[in-house]
Amino acid sequence: MKKIKELWSRLRGKISGVLSGIKPSSGKFFGKKKEPVDEVTSYKQRLIAHRRKQALKTGAVIAIVAALALGIKFAFDHWSFKEYVIINSSEQEDITSTEYVELDGNVFKYNQDDTALMDTDGETLWTGSYDIVNPQADVCGDMVAVYDKNGTSIEVFDINGEIGSINTKLPILKARVSSVGTVAAVLEDGENTWINYYNAAGEEIATVKTGIDSPGYPMDVDISSDGSVLGVSYLYMSDGSPNTKITFYNFESAGKNQMDNKVGEYEYDNILVPQIAYLDSGKFVAFREDGFTVFEGGTAPREEKTVKVSRDIITTMNDGSHIGLIFQSEEEGSLYTIEVYTTGGRKIMEENCDFSYTDVSMGENQIVLYNSSQMCVYSVKGIEKFRGDMKEGQIKNLFQIGSNRYLEVTENGIYMLKLH
């Protein structure tokens, strides 16, 4: 009992010490003349006010940053460059037999004997060798297939080097690669034509036999980026008139229960469709002689939008996100009219152009036109970004490798250019 009293005495002493350290507020918490202030409520109110103030500050900062970003983007989109600088060059290249393509921000070069990948500083990342008489290349993402046109060899590379080799039994007319390394090859066999589908290791996944009567002659083929869908544009004759049949095959689960793996087929009477290309977001575009048709649907593409034009199309192009057409201009003083559409078929550009081009490429929201001695660059919104004479020699090839960087191949060597 004595111990309990001693313990209670100590506890009262500690409680008294704690209470003595608490001071009354300005509202005289311990008095009776004013109402007591709820400190918890007051704290919450101050916290809410602080958070509101911080939210307003944060919102203001975000708005300012967004406005600056939009302003910078608007300025860049509408900025025109007056000149260029050479940031790298190599005059030891055998450009007479070497071709160049852009590969995932790098430069892939190839010829009959070997290939190499260079970065934008001109440094060689790796080299490879093969024996191909008539090399042609197709690129998808970070994959490239080099095939021997009219030969029987296909070499598949990614940004790290060679990943596979394919040998066909029949001469190759055309080959297309996907971003996963699968390859579709159109093979010639007398009156018949075969479309063979391979993995990067050279194993045959599927084969389609075609004839001029059924389903027709394959004018063009392309593969979806993930390798699941193959699109083919067939030419066939009916009552003496040329017609086109667009067929989609799926060699994965979506097409296993379909006859001949067909997941879509569309016929166009008296219309030629010489080109078909895979776009971003699971879409294909079929370039018709009277415009283009966009197909969407991933595993089983279906018609989404057809855009028809009344003029003859001179050049077609796409960068995965945009579709471009070039016509002879109907305006006096202009040579051409350039039109650009979204993949949904909405026109976002129509510009007359007086630049005389021999070649054109499209990439990263830009259209690059050039001839043997000049270059002209448009944005997909119709802004002329650059036009000028090139002083490095007669141009053999010229294409974009960055937002304002370009690779120029001339008779004297190769040059990395930057607009400024």
Side-chain angles (χ1 to χ4, degrees):
M1 188 69 176
K2 183 179 180 180
K3 289 184 178 180
I4 293 175
K5 288 182 178 180
E6 289 176 354
L7 183 60
W8 172 244
S9 178
R10 292 177 186 174
L11 185 58
R12 282 195 307 171
K14 288 185 178 180
I15 293 172
S16 177
V18 171
L19 290 176
S20 65
I22 299 177
K23 296 181 180 180
S25 69
S26 58
K28 295 185 178 180
F29 180 77
F30 295 100
K32 295 183 179 180
K33 293 183 178 181
K34 293 188 178 180
E35 292 295 324
V37 175
D38 187 340
E39 291 197 354
V40 173
T41 302
S42 177
Y43 172 76
K44 287 183 177 180
Q45 290 174 343
R46 292 197 303 272
L47 181 61
I48 291 170
H50 174 73
R51 287 177 175 173
R52 284 177 178 172
K53 186 182 291 185
Q54 290 300 111
L56 288 172
K57 288 182 179 179
T58 302
V61 170
I62 292 173
I64 292 170
V65 171
L68 286 172
L70 288 173
I72 292 171
K73 184 178 185 303
F74 179 85
F76 183 79
D77 288 344
H78 291 77
W79 187 268
S80 293
F81 300 94
K82 302 301 181 183
E83 54 187 11
Y84 66 90
V85 293
I86 298 173
I87 58 177
N88 208 328
S89 66
S90 174
E91 298 181 356
Q92 305 300 319
E93 298 285 337
D94 180 15
I95 65 166
T96 58
S97 60
T98 302
E99 300 292 338
Y100 301 81
V101 294
E102 188 268 341
L103 181 63
D104 198 32
N106 299 296
V107 179
F108 180 84
K109 63 177 185 177
Y110 63 98
N111 55 35
Q112 292 181 336
D113 304 311
D114 51 43
T115 184
L117 187 69
M118 302 184 301
D119 62 21
T120 54
D121 293 324
E123 296 294 326
T124 299
L125 302 178
W126 53 260
T127 60
S129 61
Y130 48 62
D131 183 15
I132 290 181
V133 177
N134 186 14
Q136 308 287 319
D138 183 64
V139 177
C140 182
D142 63 355
M143 291 283 179
V144 56
V146 180
Y147 63 96
D148 193 356
K149 187 171 183 178
N150 299 320
T152 58
S153 299
I154 305 173
E155 307 293 332
V156 183
F157 304 86
D158 66 9
I159 57 174
N160 298 310
E162 185 168 11
I163 65 170
S165 182
I166 300 169
N167 292 310
T168 65
K169 297 178 181 179
L170 297 168
I172 303 165
L173 297 177
K174 184 177 295 185
R176 295 289 182 263
V177 67
S178 73
S179 63
V180 295
T182 53
V183 175
V186 181
L187 309 178
E188 187 176 36
D189 184 21
E191 294 183 357
N192 296 315
T193 306
W194 297 82
I195 303 174
N196 285 9
Y197 194 44
Y198 305 90
N199 62 24
E203 300 169 333
E204 188 178 288
I205 299 173
T207 183
V208 178
K209 182 181 179 181
T210 75
I212 190 62
D213 297 324
S214 178
Y217 179 80
M219 290 186 287
D220 201 13
V221 301
D222 206 0
I223 318 172
S224 63
S225 180
D226 63 2
S228 63
V229 178
L230 171 68
V232 185
S233 175
Y234 290 108
L235 168 67
Y236 69 98
M237 302 297 293
S238 177
D239 298 327
S241 299
N243 303 286
T244 299
K245 184 182 297 180
I246 303 291
T247 304
F248 295 101
Y249 303 88
N250 190 311
F251 299 117
E252 295 188 347
S253 57
K256 285 184 178 179
N257 296 324
Q258 305 298 320
M259 183 177 295
D260 299 326
N261 296 93
K262 293 180 183 179
V263 291
E265 192 165 77
Y266 304 87
E267 298 189 26
Y268 305 95
D269 294 338
N270 300 312
I271 295 292
L272 293 179
V273 186
Q275 291 177 277
I276 187 168
Y278 179 75
L279 304 171
D280 295 340
S281 306
K283 296 184 179 184
F284 283 82
V285 58
F287 288 104
R288 309 151 50 114
E289 60 181 335
D290 63 346
F292 62 87
T293 297
V294 176
F295 299 85
E296 63 91 21
T299 58
R302 59 186 183 275
E303 287 182 321
E304 178 188 21
K305 179 71 174 181
T306 294
V307 174
K308 292 187 177 182
V309 297
S310 58
R311 290 178 283 179
D312 291 337
I313 301 170
I314 299 174
T315 303
T316 63
M317 52 194 170
N318 83 88
D319 64 358
S321 301
H322 303 92
I323 298 166
L325 306 174
I326 300 181
F327 316 90
Q328 292 283 356
S329 177
E330 297 176 343
E331 296 290 330
E332 186 176 351
S334 295
L335 296 174
Y336 307 105
T337 299
I338 304 173
E339 292 184 356
V340 176
Y341 299 80
T342 66
T343 57
R346 180 172 61 89
K347 186 190 294 186
I348 60 173
M349 169 187 169
E350 182 174 357
E351 289 291 329
N352 289 313
C353 172
D354 61 356
F355 182 82
S356 180
Y357 74 95
T358 55
D359 291 280
V360 61
S361 63
M362 189 178 193
E364 291 199 31
N365 300 322
Q366 290 187 2
I367 302 164
V368 181
L369 306 107
Y370 64 95
N371 54 41
S372 62
S373 61
Q374 297 173 309
M375 169 184 172
C376 183
V377 180
Y378 281 91
S379 74
V380 294
K381 295 183 179 180
I383 306 300
E384 186 176 284
K385 308 288 288 182
F386 175 81
R387 180 187 295 219
D389 296 328
M390 313 305 286
K391 307 175 181 63
E392 292 69 47
Q394 185 170 340
I395 301 172
K396 178 184 177 183
N397 198 351
L398 197 156
F399 56 86
Q400 184 182 9
I401 54 175
S403 60
N404 64 333
R405 294 191 178 198
Y406 307 83
L407 178 78
E408 178 190 26
V409 182
T410 77
E411 57 186 347
N412 298 319
I414 62 172
Y415 303 85
M416 302 287 183
L417 310 178
K418 181 179 180 180
L419 303 182
H420 77 116

